[in-house]
């Protein structure tokens, strides 16, 4: 690759001039896109940081007063929503992994000529607006609907109510509905990376494990799963991060008792118009997510994510 | 029993697939419903009214066409900018590569609500008029990283010797790029563009913050969850699902045929 990019040996002036121009090529390629990201991604973060230490009101205007108290007050008031967000997002991520792994495995190793059909069925729902699909869960989980009826007659709802996941004879407007919606919405983000990393595994490794008298379970534990780790890591990140900031599922499927931190940020920004508190909340969320992600990546020991 | 044990993965996988498809089936079925009242959440009776009059709801098709326009421009912008970045990152060595890589990775590793809120503080501070342009700017911003990742993956697996060969055969730099580089990179670019289109068309959170009073299709659906959901929403959802399946399947068939003719 370096042979391509290196300039030819400079013999005389014109060639050297061309090589200078050539050396600038990557910068011309980078500048427009990077400028976009700096102006509309990085700079806004700075603005938000400054907003979070302002005080004032909408009528009188906001002033930077380095009022860091906002952070503490916001966290103190809304820590239940933070805890709930992380709990819901974590549970949904775990469920996505448990549900997504068999499907990814099926597509990678067992689907044969059905592989493309199943892949299309995993990707195609993306094109029906996710809001429409989330609203469909309202129909599926409706109080008198078949799902609730079945869960009720199997006494599942008794158990989940006892655990605090549902309330009485309903699923809608309970934590279970929100987690179900989150799991559903982010499942493809788990399946696709899992599938990509499973597909890369050389099937001869499975044969070799079998030849060495490994049971299917041992083969999975010692060969398949470790080799799929890059997919597991990027899948869990792609699920957990957006789920922790989501407010759509909690709004449409939960009740007012199940507000997540995304709902709080949204209402502070767009309804209450308390910009400093909203900015502080979103920075706290960002900090928590970045710390968790960094620790997780260190633990999982994979650097090649992008 | 043994059969069950042997096929446990297949059964579990198909169960997950059913979980994924179920809402689409419900959307499809309820597009033939005739609801009692404003909400289309429970089955009343069969009717094709909504299919005969898909734009019969005030403002819905307007929001749909606005979303299509924004998605198209966001796709063009993000694909052009993203492809340029991807080529620069894979093909050239320069300083600050690490920093640039993190700048591209961060938008994907950030909860959407954080990006949405910070972009809103920028627009508020600049006194920008929220609407079409702020939505477009935001969409290009968050689609960019995904395009870079998709194109990068493809360009990385390209054999640079093909371009060297073209040059040895006296192709100029422009000719090499148009005749050799671009066709090889095309699948990555197309994948990135499709991803950008889907992400932009479906985006709600960032649009919700930066749209002002402009209503895109996802915002229309969101509003309808409070005001009443017309059956036409299900019609649009079903149509999009069917179109997506047809496009993907047709693409597969074309790719297969091309592969076969190349072999023959």
């Amino acid at each position: 690759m370096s042979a391509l990019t290196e300039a030819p040996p400079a013999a005389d002036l014109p060639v050297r001039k061309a090589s200078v121009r050539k050396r600038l090529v990557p910068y011309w390629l980078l500048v427009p896109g990077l400028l976009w990201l700096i102006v509309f991604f990085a700079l806004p973060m700075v603005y938000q940081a400054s907003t979070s230490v302002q005080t004032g009101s909408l009528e009188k205007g906001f002033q930077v007063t380095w009022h860091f108290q906002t952070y503490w007050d916001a966290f103190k008031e809304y820590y239940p929503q933070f805890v709930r967000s992380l709990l819901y997002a974590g549970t949904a991520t775990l469920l996505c992994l448990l549900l997504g792994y068999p499907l990814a495995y099926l597509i990678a190793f067992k689907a044969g000529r059905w592989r493309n059909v199943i892949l299309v069925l995993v990707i195609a729902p993306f094109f029906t607006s996710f809001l429409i699909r989330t609203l469909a869960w309202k129909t599926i989980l409706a109080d008198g609907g078949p799902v609730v009826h079945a869960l009720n007659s199997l006494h599942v709802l008794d158990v989940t109510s006892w655990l605090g996941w549902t309330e009485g004879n309903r699923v809608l407007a309970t934590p279970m509905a929100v987690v179900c919606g989150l799991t559903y919405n982010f499942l493809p983000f788990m399946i696709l990376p899992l599938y990509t990393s499973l597909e890369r595994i050389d099937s001869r490794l499975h044969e070799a494990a079998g030849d060495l008298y490994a049971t299917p379970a041992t083969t999975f534990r010692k060969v398949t799963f470790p080799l799929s780790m890059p997919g597991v890591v990027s899948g869990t990140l792609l699920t957990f991060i957006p789920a922790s900031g989501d407010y759509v599922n909690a709004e449409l499927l939960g009740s007012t008792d199940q507000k997540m931190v995304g709902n709080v940020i949204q209402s502070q920004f767009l309804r209450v118009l308390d910009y400093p508190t909203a900015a502080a909340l979103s920075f706290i969320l960002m900090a928590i997510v970045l710390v968790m992600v960094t620790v997780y990546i260190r633990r999982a020991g994979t650097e090649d994510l992008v | 029993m043994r059969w069950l044990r042997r096929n446990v993965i297949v059964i579990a996988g198909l169960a997950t697939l059913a979980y994924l498809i179920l809402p689409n089936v419900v959307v499809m079925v309820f597009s033939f419903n005739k609801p009692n009242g404003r909400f289309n959440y429970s089955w009343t009776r069969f009717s094709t009214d909504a299919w005969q009059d898909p734009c019969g709801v005030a403002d819905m098709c307007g929001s749909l066409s606005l979303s299509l326009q924004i998605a198209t421009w966001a796709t063009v912008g993000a694909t052009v900018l993203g492809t340029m970045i991807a080529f620069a990152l894979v093909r050239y060595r320069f300083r600050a590569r690490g920093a640039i890589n993190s700048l591209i990775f961060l938008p994907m590793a950030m909860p959407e609500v954080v990006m949405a809120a910070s972009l809103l503080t920028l627009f508020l501070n600049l006194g920008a008029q929220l609407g079409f342009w702020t939505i477009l700017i935001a969409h290009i911003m968050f689609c960019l990283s995904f395009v870079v990742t998709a194109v990068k993956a493809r360009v990385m697996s390209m054999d640079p010797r093909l371009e060297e060969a073209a040059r040895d055969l006296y192709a100029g730099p422009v000719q090499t790029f148009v005749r050799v580089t671009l066709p090889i990179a095309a699948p990555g670019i197309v994948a990135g563009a499709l991803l950008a289109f889907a992400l932009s068309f479906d985006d709600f959170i960032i649009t919700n913050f930066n749209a002002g009073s402009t209503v895109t299709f996802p915002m229309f659906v969101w509003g309808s969850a409070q005001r009443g959901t017309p059956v036409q929403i299900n019609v649009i959802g079903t149509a999009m699902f069917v179109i997506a399946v047809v496009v993907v399947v047709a693409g597969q068939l074309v790719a297969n045929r091309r592969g076969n003719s190349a072999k023959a």
Side-chain angles (χ1 to χ4, degrees):
Chain A
M1 202 174 286
S2 63
L4 254 184
T5 54
E6 264 166 32
D12 47 32
L13 213 63
V15 175
R16 196 175 291 161
K17 232 181 196 167
S19 82
V20 167
R21 207 196 291 161
K22 219 172 188 177
R23 240 182 291 155
L24 285 176
V25 168
Y27 297 102
W28 287 120
L29 287 173
L30 285 169
V31 162
L34 288 184
L35 219 55
W36 202 282
L37 281 182
I38 289 166
V39 175
F40 299 117
F41 174 76
L43 192 63
M45 294 290 164
V46 177
Y47 269 99
Q48 194 169 24
S50 115
T51 306
S52 70
V53 290
Q54 289 175 348
T55 44
S57 64
L58 204 60
E59 295 82 36
K60 292 182 195 143
F62 291 97
Q63 291 283 319
V64 177
T65 51
W66 301 104
H67 189 261
F68 281 103
Q69 185 73 26
T70 313
Y71 276 88
W72 179 240
D73 292 342
F75 187 70
K76 217 167 50 186
E77 189 170 352
Y78 295 110
Y79 85 89
Q81 280 84 348
F82 275 108
V83 173
R84 191 176 297 124
S85 295
L86 299 177
L87 209 64
Y88 284 9
T91 314
T93 307
L94 204 64
L95 284 172
C96 279
L97 187 60
L98 289 176
L99 291 171
Y101 210 105
L103 184 53
Y105 192 95
L106 172 74
I107 305 172
F109 298 124
K110 308 234 162 183
R113 61 204 180 88
W114 293 98
R115 174 187 282 195
N116 286 333
V117 177
I118 301 181
L119 267 179
V120 169
L121 288 177
V122 171
I123 297 167
F126 267 109
F127 286 84
T128 302
S129 171
F130 82 103
L131 284 166
I132 301 182
R133 289 180 283 128
T134 309
L135 285 175
W137 279 105
K138 274 188 118 128
T139 307
I140 299 168
L141 300 175
D143 289 346
V147 173
V148 168
H149 190 76
L151 290 177
N152 222 346
S153 48
L154 292 169
H155 297 286
V156 176
L157 286 185
D158 296 342
V159 180
T160 52
S161 296
W162 182 72
L163 286 167
W165 297 351
T166 56
E167 267 167 61
N169 283 337
R170 53 190 323 221
V171 175
L172 269 186
T174 66
M176 197 159 109
V178 180
V179 172
C180 170
L182 285 170
T183 309
Y184 167 77
N185 267 314
F186 297 109
L187 195 49
F189 295 97
M190 179 69 85
I191 292 172
L192 294 176
L194 277 178
Y195 161 69
T196 321
S197 68
L198 281 171
E199 193 214 32
R200 279 195 202 129
I201 298 175
D202 192 334
S203 61
R204 282 173 298 183
L205 290 172
H206 290 152
E207 289 163 29
D211 289 346
L212 295 167
Y213 296 103
T215 61
T218 316
T219 308
F220 178 77
R221 205 158 43 87
K222 297 259 180 170
V223 180
T224 316
F225 190 74
L227 286 173
S228 69
M229 264 322 267
V232 174
V233 172
S234 50
T236 42
L237 289 179
L238 282 174
T239 318
F240 180 79
I241 296 170
S244 65
D246 180 80
Y247 57 85
V248 173
N249 287 284
E251 181 86 28
L252 294 182
L253 302 174
S255 77
T256 42
D257 303 336
Q258 281 105 44
K259 287 260 188 286
M260 292 169 71
V261 69
N263 302 74
V264 181
I265 296 176
Q266 193 247 12
S267 74
Q268 291 285 329
F269 248 117
L270 302 179
R271 268 181 250 154
V272 186
L273 305 177
D274 180 354
Y275 298 129
T277 302
L281 282 170
S282 100
F283 259 111
I284 299 172
L285 174 65
M286 183 176 91
I288 294 176
V289 168
L290 282 182
V291 168
M292 288 181 78
V293 166
T294 315
V295 171
Y296 174 71
I297 293 176
R298 285 268 162 80
R299 277 278 170 87
T302 13
E303 294 91 29
D304 44 22
L305 283 168
V306 216
Chain B
M1 231 19 235
R2 251 184 87 186
W3 177 87
L4 205 68
R5 266 221 336 248
R6 192 170 294 168
N7 289 296
V8 66
I9 290 171
V10 177
I11 295 164
L14 290 178
T16 304
L17 193 63
Y19 176 64
L20 268 179
I21 299 298
L22 179 66
N24 283 83
V25 176
V26 170
V27 169
M28 207 176 285
V29 169
F30 275 74
S31 74
F32 294 103
N33 190 18
K34 178 132 192 124
N36 257 339
R38 292 182 299 137
F39 291 97
N40 184 19
Y41 294 148
S42 56
W43 182 260
T44 318
R45 62 186 177 82
F46 183 86
S47 142
T48 54
D49 291 358
W51 279 94
Q52 282 163 21
D53 186 20
C55 281
V57 191
D59 303 332
M60 189 186 73
C61 282
S63 71
L64 191 63
S65 107
L66 179 69
S67 273
L68 286 172
Q69 280 171 44
I70 290 174
T72 307
W73 290 116
T75 305
V76 172
T79 307
V80 170
L81 297 177
T83 306
M84 282 161 68
I85 293 181
F87 266 96
L89 283 177
V90 178
R91 284 305 171 77
Y92 298 93
R93 297 282 163 273
F94 43 83
R95 258 175 282 164
R97 265 180 110 247
I100 293 171
N101 268 321
S102 2
L103 181 62
I104 287 159
F105 175 65
L106 269 176
M108 296 189 286
M110 194 76 71
E112 245 190 299
V113 69
V114 175
M115 272 193 285
S118 66
L119 200 55
L120 178 61
T121 58
L122 174 82
F123 289 143
L124 287 174
N125 274 292
L126 298 180
Q129 176 77 39
L130 296 179
F132 181 88
W133 292 104
T134 53
I135 300 175
L136 183 59
I137 285 171
H139 284 202
I140 293 179
M141 184 269 288
F142 74 77
C143 290
L144 196 52
S145 304
F146 290 93
V147 175
V148 173
T149 314
V151 179
K152 233 172 89 179
R154 177 77 190 179
V155 178
M156 262 199 235
S157 64
M158 253 167 89
D159 190 344
R161 282 173 301 185
L162 291 169
E163 285 160 308
E164 281 168 43
R167 234 160 293 172
D168 287 347
L169 295 167
Y170 296 103
V174 176
Q175 219 177 350
T176 311
F177 184 77
V178 174
R179 302 286 294 268
V180 180
T181 315
L182 213 52
I184 302 177
I189 298 174
V190 170
L194 274 177
L195 195 60
F197 189 88
L199 286 172
S200 163
F201 187 77
D202 207 17
D203 179 74
F204 172 71
I205 293 182
I206 288 182
T207 314
N208 185 214
F209 273 77
N210 294 293
S213 56
T214 309
V215 179
T216 63
F217 184 64
M219 303 235 338
F220 179 85
V221 178
W222 175 258
S224 77
Q226 271 104 44
R227 290 191 311 266
T229 43
V231 187
Q232 275 82 352
I233 284 181
N234 292 48
V235 173
I236 303 296
T238 309
M240 287 192 311
F241 180 72
V242 172
I243 291 171
V245 172
V246 168
V247 166
V248 176
V249 170
Q252 278 285 326
L253 288 178
V254 170
N256 280 348
R257 185 161 303 170
R258 238 184 237 163
N260 287 340
S261 65
K263 258 179 250 160

